[in-house]
Amino acid sequence: MENVYQIQSKRFLFIILASAAVLTFPLVAMRFTDEVKWTVFDFIVAAVLLFGTSLAIEIALRVLSSLWSRVAACAVILLGLFLVWAELAVGVVGTRFAGS
């Protein structure tokens, strides 16, 4: 029987690999269309956002014990990711970091 630390390590590895897999979508899209034009900086920002979110979710899952507190924490973390991503992409809030 696996101990808790091995299970958490496997979950963490899966989260990191899933984040890296998400970054391959724009890379592949750039090869097939001119509509996607990401620079190295775009990939760095996306990687920081995805890996940071992954780490925050992993910490929430390790620290919180209640199912509903885990669900709520993950929902808040993902909402933050989507708001920052949308702001960087099209400027939902209108900060100077907006992509539009």
Side-chain angles (χ1 to χ4, degrees):
M1 184 168 147
E2 293 181 300
N3 65 29
V4 175
Y5 295 110
Q6 288 175 335
I7 293 171
Q8 289 177 344
S9 295
K10 286 182 180 180
R11 183 177 63 206
F12 180 68
L13 181 63
F14 173 77
I15 290 172
I16 295 298
L17 290 175
S19 299
V22 170
L23 288 174
T24 63
F25 294 132
L27 185 64
V28 170
M30 286 173 49
R31 300 290 177 209
F32 294 106
T33 181
D34 291 332
E35 298 295 319
V36 180
K37 298 175 184 168
W38 280 31
T39 64
V40 172
F41 182 72
D42 294 325
F43 280 101
I44 292 171
V45 169
V48 168
L49 284 173
L50 289 173
F51 290 124
T53 301
S54 300
L55 290 174
I57 288 173
E58 179 63 22
I59 290 169
L61 292 176
R62 287 186 185 200
V63 171
L64 301 172
S65 58
S66 167
L67 173 66
W68 291 111
S69 62
R70 286 178 169 188
V71 169
C74 289
V76 168
I77 292 167
L78 289 174
L79 177 64
L81 168 70
F82 295 138
L83 286 175
V84 170
W85 197 290
E87 178 62 24
L88 291 174
V90 295
V92 174
V93 182
T95 64
R96 59 187 177 147
F97 298 110
S100 59

